[in-house]
Amino acid sequence: MKREINKIFTCSTGHITKEDADLLRASDDIPSAHYEFGDFISVPSDEDSYKDLLTRCSSDGYSKEFIRLLEIAKENDCVYLQLDCDGETYEDLPEFSW
């Protein structure tokens, strides 16, 4: 039996700005779900939808660091980007204290 198994890129909310977090909570424009410790952001698999997402993020004012996290998720064939307050921090990515 074939099972559907998806990949998720999980990282600390410290890798996004406070403004990014506020935009995620206020916007219906980005496909995301908020939970107690962070957010899940859907990463489209098709190129047109993915490019549209990046365009919306850019025009809505998300930081280049937030957009980079989406790019990392896409490059690694992830279905979701998970931002979690207890998620892993990566030394090659900027961190923000908020």
Side-chain angles (χ1 to χ4, degrees), residues 28-40:
D28 291 333
D29 207 23
I30 304 299
S32 64
H34 179 70
Y35 66 102
E36 183 178 2
F37 303 108
D39 295 276
F40 282 98

Side-chain angles (χ1 to χ4, degrees), residues 38-90:
D39 295 276
F40 282 98
I41 298 99
S42 180
V43 180
S45 59
D46 70 279
E47 284 303 313
D48 289 339
S49 296
Y50 174 69
K51 288 177 184 177
D52 182 53
L53 173 63
L54 295 184
T55 300
R56 284 191 318 246
C57 286
S58 183
S59 65
D60 287 351
Y62 286 88
S63 69
K64 67 182 189 314
E65 292 83 8
F66 177 84
I67 292 170
R68 180 65 188 130
L69 296 177
L70 288 171
E71 292 170 345
I72 292 169
K74 179 69 172 171
E75 290 165 3
N76 288 279
D77 298 319
C78 295
V79 176
Y80 293 101
L81 165 62
Q82 179 184 14
L83 302 168
D84 189 283
C85 65
D86 292 326
E88 187 71 34
T89 55
Y90 301 97

